[in-house]
Amino acid sequence: MTKLLILGGTTEASLLARAVADRGVDAVFSYAGRVAAPKTQPVPTRIGGFGGVVGFANYIQQHNITHVVDATHPFAAQMSWNAYHGCEAAGVPLVAFSRPVWTAGDGDNWTHVANIDGAVSTLRGPARRVLLALGKQSVSAFASKPQHHYILRLVDVPQIAPDLPSHSIVVSRGPFDVAGDRALMQSHGVDLVICKNSGGVGAEAKLFAARELGVPVVMIDRPEVPTRQEMSTIKSVLDWATT
Ligand code: 3Y8
Ligand code: NAP
């Protein structure tokens, strides 16, 4: 009898949870607890870390999990590594439900960097108006470049004011649309976008808006995740989990 653990936090994870609930598959959805009020899911949901690899392996054994789907964000690399090693230790099958990287198209002006520090190092020049579409965990890295005005798009109102002398906060949870992101960039006079190569549809609107407005993008490439079975459709994941 299948009991599926969905490691969530993405649009794809939510779509999978909906399909799993409609199919009546026994499942648990898992959030890290990064935001105040995560989206409600149509299956039982747990919120919070597992306690590293050992905590994860114990969880899946104690809760009789038969299959694990890693549908976390491509930058949630620590969770992906923990799930990989935890499933190996517990002898439970794992697949990743992932989304392809974004690639620059005609009219795009992208600079690829390896990580957040690489993005910061592109900001040595004179003052700009920078859209930081990275969430609150990455904001402090930009304190070394105080000459810029930062437009910070965050899921929750931050409890502590960001350590950036010139910034605007936009509290907004995706998925986003092109009209909204174009209006955001125009109203704030954005002349540079910094973002992660998240893939998927929930966060790509800003790239289309940047292309239309001729705004350059600093694209942070994905961190390394384990080599594991990857799937890209809900049907393939459901077939895998129920046969
Ligand atoms: C807690 C759970 C769904 C999932 C929706 C997707 C789309 C909207 C776009 C921008 C980029 C960013 C950020 C983003 C997007 C979806 C998806 C996605 C990017 C929620 C959610 C949780 C989080 C955590 C949050 C991070 C932050 C990243 C904001 C829910 C809304 C920037 C990633 O304030 C913080 O601390 C935010 C933290 C991790 C990245 C970071 O490193 O700081 N996501 N986002 C999950 C948990 O607790 O386990 O309430 O839905 C989910 C979504 N955010 O079901 O519809 O599929 O990617 N999330 C990025 O892509 O760069 C915003 O502003 O343009
Ligand atoms: P991370 O750095 O890979 O993970 C750090 C720790 O957070 C993990 O070791 C684990 O704690 C816990 N954790 C992460 N995801 C979890 C989940 N789904 N369920 C339970 N515990 C989880 O993770 P992150 O980048 O902070 O991402 C956290 C969440 O936000 C994930 O659900 C991810 O899908 C979502 N998200 C992240 C981004 C992003 O840009 N990073 C974007 C959109 C959504 P323990 O070690 O204690 O088990």
Side-chain angles (χ1 to χ4, degrees):
M1 189 65 181
T2 293
K3 183 168 182 184
L4 183 63
L5 172 62
I6 302 172
L7 298 176
T10 57
T11 304
E12 289 75 12
S14 297
L15 293 171
L16 175 62
R18 178 72 271 155
V20 160
D22 293 348
R23 178 89 74 97
V25 175
D26 189 8
V28 178
F29 193 96
S30 181
Y31 279 123
R34 281 279 181 285
V35 299
K39 185 178 192 170
T40 308
Q41 295 295 337
V43 295
T45 299
R46 66 171 298 288
I47 299 180
F50 294 97
V53 174
V54 173
F56 183 83
N58 289 343
Y59 176 87
I60 57 180
Q61 284 171 325
Q62 287 158 12
H63 291 80
N64 306 310
I65 300 295
T66 60
H67 296 74
V68 175
V69 186
D70 180 355
T72 59
H73 191 275
F75 280 72
Q78 187 60 62
M79 185 69 253
S80 292
W81 279 105
N82 287 0
Y84 176 79
H85 290 305
C87 283
E88 201 174 37
V92 171
L94 165 76
V95 293
F97 183 31
S98 47
R99 53 218 197 165
V101 290
W102 292 317
T103 50
D106 291 346
D108 285 335
N109 174 6
W110 291 9
T111 302
H112 286 267
V113 295
N115 49 39
I116 294 280
D117 290 344
V120 172
S121 64
T122 67
L123 295 176
R124 290 193 185 95
R128 306 192 64 173
R129 298 183 64 81
V130 186
L131 173 59
L132 277 194
L134 301 172
K136 70 170 179 289
Q137 301 176 90
S138 315
V139 167
S140 55
F142 293 86
S144 67
K145 298 289 180 291
Q147 72 271 31
H148 305 293
H149 178 79
Y150 293 97
I151 298 92
L152 308 175
R153 179 148 70 182
L154 303 175
V155 176
D156 297 319
V157 177
Q159 270 118 18
I160 304 160
D163 182 20
L164 297 170
S166 177
H167 69 270
S168 312
I169 292 176
V170 175
V171 178
S172 178
R173 171 200 305 257
F176 302 103
D177 61 60
V178 180
D181 279 6
R182 186 193 313 114
L184 174 76
M185 291 185 196
Q186 287 173 312
S187 62
H188 286 273
V190 170
D191 59 23
L192 179 66
V193 172
I194 300 184
C195 67
K196 299 173 178 173
N197 199 326
S198 313
V201 295
E204 67 182 352
K206 57 185 175 281
L207 303 176
F208 298 129
R211 179 189 295 166
E212 286 176 15
L213 297 171
V215 172
V217 173
V218 171
M219 183 62 72
I220 302 170
D221 291 335
R222 292 180 177 185
E224 192 193 346
V225 290
T227 303
R228 65 258 157 111
Q229 193 177 358
E230 305 264 352
M231 292 185 177
S232 57
T233 67
I234 287 176
K235 182 182 183 316
S236 58
V237 173
L238 285 177
D239 290 348
W240 169 80
T242 54
T243 46

